[in-house]
Amino acid sequence: MAYPIVMEINTLTTRHSHARVTLQGPNQPLSVWRIPEMPPLPTNQKTILFADIAGSTRLYDTFGDFKARELISKCLSHLKELVRENDGTVIKTIGDEVLCTFSTPNHAAETARQMHEEISFDPEMIQANIHLRIGFHHGEVICEPGDVFGDAVNVAARMVELAKSDQIITNKDTLTLMKLPLKRRARIVDRTRVRGKDDVMEIHELIWGKPEQMTMSTSFTEEMIASLTSEKDFLQIRHLQNRILVDHERPILTMGRGVANHLIINDPLVSRMHARIELQRNRFMLIDQSTNGTFLKPQDEEPILLRRDVIQLEGEGLIGLGQKVSEDDPLAVRYRVL
């Protein structure tokens, strides 16, 4: 004789379920099977970054389906490589957009800057007039293989929606977690409500690009003006036939094998965006952002390995990207504080 099966769902949510399955005879249940609750999924603090190709539909209209798809694929490949070089995780690509995560907003901000510079200096991307919109947010997320969920993801998606072409957008909560040099490159651009949030959110843009192209926030501009009272701060960089001066008018120098850099050094051990020198409060700071590290050899001193760290440049000496260098090494970058 066949007996009906009756399933009683006691609770059911997207994460938890508890069911009671009864095999029922003519007079009484014959057996009961309880499905236990699923444990809650683990959460992590991550910075979620979306990078989107601005106006990608125009590419299809201009170049046709095949060429447009090829350009978009190349652009996304550049972006994903930069994510991996900066210790990020590529979650997935969604059409003309890449979704990735970082352990800190500092890593996300630096990668976003590199993304813009890489695409804006790439000859093929320039010819196709490809530009990016980038937004990121730090918060609690649920990580699964090939995907990420949570309120932070929704907020990050809203940040990239607010970004215009060539912009990097984040918010005040994320900005407060970032290091001071990055905070100085931020300016408030809006106050708006984000879906699912009760309070008005303060929106900030991170400025990137050549110093003469930047429009800085008022506080940063005042600091820069104050620093100009000293006219003696110059750093001379020499590599082969290249001579570059870092000063208050040109306070940033980037080095690496990518075409977006001021000083391009093409070697397998050199990262695409390997290192940079910044003039900060009348001090020249060498900042490593590479995979293999940067070697600094002050004159008459032993080499120092810099890995994802910052050090002040004083006097004169050599810089080696990804490897130790000597005076006659063609990869040696020579510096001298004047």
Side-chain angles (χ1 to χ4, degrees), residues 8-218:
E8 300 172 5
I9 305 296
N10 296 338
T11 62
L12 180 62
T13 68
T14 55
R15 297 188 192 176
H16 310 282
S17 62
H18 182 89
R20 181 174 184 268
V21 181
T22 304
L23 182 63
Q24 188 174 6
N27 300 316
Q28 61 180 11
L30 299 180
S31 63
V32 175
W33 175 34
R34 288 184 177 274
I35 303 174
E37 279 196 4
M38 294 175 61
L41 295 172
T43 60
N44 296 283
Q45 289 285 326
K46 295 284 185 183
T47 303
I48 310 299
L49 182 145
F50 285 93
D52 172 69
I53 299 176
S56 59
T57 54
R58 173 191 55 80
L59 297 176
Y60 290 94
D61 295 336
T62 304
F63 299 102
D65 291 351
F66 180 80
K67 181 62 177 177
R69 187 64 246 170
E70 183 182 47
L71 287 167
I72 290 171
S73 179
K74 285 183 179 180
C75 180
L76 295 180
S77 293
H78 285 318
L79 304 186
K80 289 187 286 186
E81 184 177 351
L82 288 171
V83 171
R84 297 185 185 102
E85 287 183 359
N86 285 279
D87 297 330
T89 301
V90 176
I91 302 298
K92 59 184 176 181
T93 56
I94 312 161
D96 59 358
E97 184 175 65
V98 61
L99 166 61
C100 51
T101 64
F102 296 89
S103 57
T104 71
N106 293 327
H107 286 90
E110 180 57 32
T111 306
R113 180 189 66 81
Q114 293 177 20
M115 286 176 168
H116 274 308
E117 291 186 349
E118 177 74 13
I119 299 307
S120 66
F121 281 88
D122 185 281
E124 190 173 15
M125 300 295 113
I126 293 172
Q127 188 174 13
N129 197 26
I130 289 178
H131 298 266
L132 302 177
R133 302 183 306 144
I134 301 176
F136 65 89
H137 173 71
H138 187 84
E140 191 174 82
V141 296
I142 300 168
C143 297
E144 291 186 354
D147 216 339
V148 63
F149 305 94
D151 181 60
V153 182
N154 298 329
V155 176
R158 179 59 177 152
M159 295 301 100
V160 76
E161 287 176 3
L162 292 171
K164 299 176 183 177
S165 178
D166 294 330
Q167 279 190 324
I168 303 170
I169 293 296
T170 188
N171 52 71
K172 184 179 179 181
D173 290 343
T174 301
L175 191 66
T176 57
L177 303 174
M178 293 163 62
K179 59 187 181 181
L180 188 58
L182 291 173
K183 290 179 181 178
R184 289 177 179 155
R185 293 180 176 273
R187 63 176 181 181
I188 185 170
V189 292
D190 197 7
R191 291 182 177 88
T192 186
R193 292 192 181 276
V194 174
R195 187 170 56 251
K197 298 290 186 182
D198 295 331
D199 297 331
V200 172
M201 186 170 288
E202 194 172 282
I203 307 301
H204 291 257
E205 178 188 3
L206 293 184
I207 309 300
W208 65 276
K210 296 179 180 179
E212 62 268 23
Q213 297 171 333
M214 295 182 182
T215 305
M216 310 307 295
S217 63
T218 303

Side-chain angles (χ1 to χ4, degrees), residues 270-338:
V270 178
S271 295
R272 189 178 297 274
M273 294 286 185
H274 195 103
R276 68 184 189 274
I277 296 171
E278 292 189 6
L279 177 55
Q280 301 176 3
R281 298 194 177 191
N282 301 327
R283 297 185 301 167
F284 294 99
M285 310 303 294
L286 174 63
I287 304 166
D288 175 76
Q289 52 198 41
S290 69
T291 301
N292 296 317
T294 298
F295 289 85
L296 172 67
K297 187 185 183 306
Q299 190 175 43
D300 301 326
E301 296 183 28
E302 290 299 311
I304 302 167
L305 174 59
L306 195 65
R307 192 182 295 275
R308 301 297 173 119
D309 207 348
V310 181
I311 193 170
Q312 182 178 352
L313 295 177
E314 297 180 292
E316 58 184 295
L318 303 176
I319 298 171
L321 303 187
Q323 56 199 294
K324 293 181 181 179
V325 292
S326 59
E327 279 286 348
D328 57 352
D329 196 320
L331 296 176
V333 177
R334 293 164 178 81
Y335 72 88
R336 183 184 179 191
V337 178
L338 304 175

